[in-house]
Structures are given as structure tokens and as C-alpha cells.
Amino acid sequence: MRGMSGLFRMTPLFAALFANACHASPRAISSSDPASPLGLERTIALPDVSGRIDHFAIDLRDKLLFVAEYGNGTVDAVDLVAGTVADRITGLHEPQGLAVLADGQVFVACGDGSVHFYYARGRHEIATLTLEDDADNVRVDARNGHVVVGYGSGALAVIDPASHHLLATLELTGHPEGFRLIGGKALVNIPDRGVIVAADIDAGKVTSSWSTGLRRMNFPLAIDPSGRWFAIAYRFPAALQVRSADSGDEIRTRRACGDADDLFIDGDRFFLVCGAGNIDVVSTTDAGAETVRVATAPGARTGLFVPELRTLFLAVPSRGGSAAIWALSTNASSLK
């Protein structure tokens, strides 16, 4: 790899950009250290899984964690009580997005644009439909149970899980990566355009678009439960930024771990999951607070924080070893 000087010179503009994110170096800690804010409670093997692992979904009733194994073409149902893989869906083309619905259906979005509905236990497919391509991130609208999927060269699809029909399409300017819903509003990262957009799901239109400026590769996004602000993470340069949900104005920015892919809010702290082999634990309220950087594994950039279990699940890909799920507890165990 070339040094940074081989890529660009530190012009005054870049110097200002990096100074904006300047904070003290994070405090590095192992997940096995008793002082860690995220303690490794359990490792669950994913047998015969190779390649990239994408998104998770949780079935709290049956304590099943669903894992989209993109490179494997499979979705595993992991029994969190037994600590083993209970079932596997096979024959999928690049499974990416997942959701467990209120009636127990499991929704899978795939790289070829196909979306599938399954019963939670077993491999029986209920229905399928096809979008343009690259069906990816999935959210469930808490108001009505509709499934919202980002896909293609730029759109959100709204699907009725009862009829399995496409209800509406919201056009965007580029492929949506991380997006979140709050009421009828969606906030969407579009990294290939260097923007974040706000959209009205019910009206099917974009209401605001905010540039990321010189920052690029804005993938994960999280919204404050109050709806007043949201946070995004950039991969270049690596940073965590908080913005106003109304105006899109920057509130604060700080350095972050590299290759960020998932971001969660737990009360007054962020969990930022990064493929560089770290999870940054950062205060949501104190701009000057220390970042605690918990060591994980290279390429482990997919996570799911489940507040009901006080656990952050992390996908560790098979890089010289076996693929696995790490269960990182934020306090006393709730899986036993």
C-alpha cells in the first residue's frame, strides 16, 4: 500500500477537513478485558460458511438470529440458546438484507434483485418477487408492518408482507446504502452521489438532499429516537458525524475506525462497527469524550445491536479460520 503522501498532498482544504475531526487517540481495549464496554460472552460457529457476511435479523420470540451469508448464497438461523445453527436456507444469489416480520415471516433481499418470504422455521418459501437488481438494506415500517427495501440504481420499494405485493416505489438519485425510518420519514445514505437525503415514504418523494462535502463513502446511518438528529459514518476519511435531522446541518464530527459498515445507538453511546477490526464506543452527548476502541477481527464489519438482549452480535468471516458470530454483551448476560 502506498503512503498517504502518494495519494494526495495535505492542502489547506484537506488540513481543515482533518482538523475538524481531530480528537485524542482512542483507548484500545480487548473484548476479553473486564473493563471493556463490550465483553465477548460467546462465540457461535458458522460451519461451511465462506466469503462475505452481510446483514442480520433477530427473532426475539424464538431467540433466532438470521445471518445473510452473501458469499455462501445461504441464510443461517442461529439458535441463540443452544449456540448452534438450527437451520439453513440455500440456493440464494448474494443474500444481503434481512427482516423478521411480526407474523414470523423471514424476508430476504438478494443481489440479483429477488426478494423472498419464508416461514421462520424451516426452509419453506411462501412468496417471491423481483426488483431491478441489488436488493440490499431492509427496514420494517413500525406504523403498518410494510417492508421497505433499498435496491437498484436508486430506489426504495415498499412491499406489503400480507399480500406480498409491491405497493410503491420511491425514486432516488443513486443506490441507497444505510437508511433508517422514523414515522413516515426516511433518511438515506447515497454514497455514490455524496449525499444524504430525507424522503417522505407516504408521498413517495425526496424532500431534502444534503451534500457530504469532501467526505465520502457514507455507509451506516442511525437516527436518535427523538428524531432530532442522526449520525452517519464515513470511510474516507474515517469519521463519525452527527447532523440535524431537520436541516441536515453538521453538529459535530470526530475521527473513527476504518471501513465502517454498521452503526447503532444505545442510550448515550454509539457502537460503530468497522471492518478494520474494531468497534468504536463513542458518547452521543459529550463531543470531547474519549473513544473506546474494542478490538475484534479483520473484516468483521457486520453487526446487530439487540437492546432487548443487551447484546451486540458481530459476524466474523472465515479469513484463515472458521466463520463465527461473536455475542458481545453490554452488561450481564441475558441469553442464558
Side-chain angles (χ1 to χ4, degrees):
M1 179 181 289
R2 291 179 297 165
M4 191 68 76
S5 61
L7 297 176
F8 57 79
R9 295 183 181 277
M10 187 62 79
T11 64
L13 192 57
F14 269 107
L17 176 64
F18 278 88
N20 181 276
C22 186
H23 288 83
S25 296
R27 176 164 59 93
I29 195 167
S30 167
S31 60
S32 62
D33 189 319
S36 175
L38 293 169
L40 181 58
E41 180 182 79
R42 170 188 287 182
T43 299
I44 302 172
L46 296 175
D48 305 315
V49 172
S50 61
R52 185 177 118 202
I53 299 174
D54 218 326
H55 299 289
F56 289 140
I58 189 75
D59 177 352
L60 284 170
R61 183 187 63 185
D62 292 330
K63 284 200 168 71
L64 292 174
L65 180 71
F66 290 87
V67 186
E69 294 147 354
Y70 179 96
N72 224 43
T74 55
V75 170
D76 274 349
V78 176
D79 186 322
L80 295 176
V81 176
T84 59
V85 173
D87 208 347
R88 173 171 288 180
I89 299 169
T90 61
L92 297 168
H93 183 82
E94 299 174 347
Q96 300 186 110
L98 293 171
V100 176
L101 309 181
D103 61 1
Q105 292 184 74
V106 175
F107 180 91
V108 184
C110 296
D112 61 357
S114 63
V115 295
H116 308 260
F117 291 88
Y118 296 90
Y119 289 119
R121 284 195 176 274
R123 295 182 292 272
H124 179 65
E125 187 171 40
I126 307 167
T128 184
L129 58 100
T130 302
L131 302 174
E132 179 184 322
D133 68 356
D134 199 9
D136 192 356
N137 282 277
V138 176
R139 302 292 173 205
V140 178
D141 190 332
R143 302 172 304 159
N144 49 33
H146 292 162
V147 181
V148 183
V149 188
Y151 73 97
S153 57
L156 297 180
V158 181
I159 300 171
D160 177 10
S163 66
H164 308 113
H165 289 159
L166 179 66
L167 297 176
T169 301
L170 193 159
E171 299 294 333
L172 301 168
T173 58
H175 180 73
E177 287 294 341
F179 76 91
R180 299 279 179 172
L181 307 177
I182 184 161
K185 182 178 183 178
L187 291 173
V188 188
N189 270 329
I190 306 179
D192 58 353
R193 296 293 184 183
V195 297
I196 310 124
V197 302
D200 185 322
I201 293 292
D202 299 328
K205 65 178 182 180
V206 171
T207 56
S208 300
S209 181
W210 305 306
S211 172
T212 64
L214 290 177
R215 301 187 186 280
R216 286 292 185 267
M217 302 180 77
N218 48 311
F219 283 83
L221 182 150
I223 302 178
D224 169 49
S226 73
R228 294 191 301 269
W229 54 263
F230 67 97
I232 56 175
Y234 301 96
R235 293 183 185 174
F236 181 77
L240 177 63
Q241 185 176 80
V242 177
R243 289 183 174 226
S244 165
D246 291 326
S247 65
D249 291 343
E250 177 184 343
I251 297 173
R252 60 182 176 274
T253 303
R254 62 188 302 152
R255 290 178 181 173
C257 47
D259 194 24
D261 205 53
D262 270 322
L263 177 62
F264 306 98
I265 299 171
D266 177 31
D268 61 356
R269 58 186 177 176
F270 293 112
F271 298 136
L272 178 61
V273 182
C274 294
N278 310 101
I279 299 173
D280 277 2
V281 183
V282 184
S283 172
T284 63
T285 57
D286 185 352
E290 175 186 57
T291 294
V292 178
R293 182 160 291 172
V294 180
T296 57
R301 67 183 192 177
T302 295
L304 177 67
F305 174 57
V306 182
E308 295 88 348
L309 301 178
R310 303 303 310 151
T311 300
L312 175 62
F313 294 101
L314 180 72
V316 178
S318 58
R319 294 190 175 183
S322 298
I325 301 298
W326 285 12
L328 296 157
S329 178
T330 63
N331 54 25
S333 172
S334 56
L335 295 180
K336 296 180 180 177

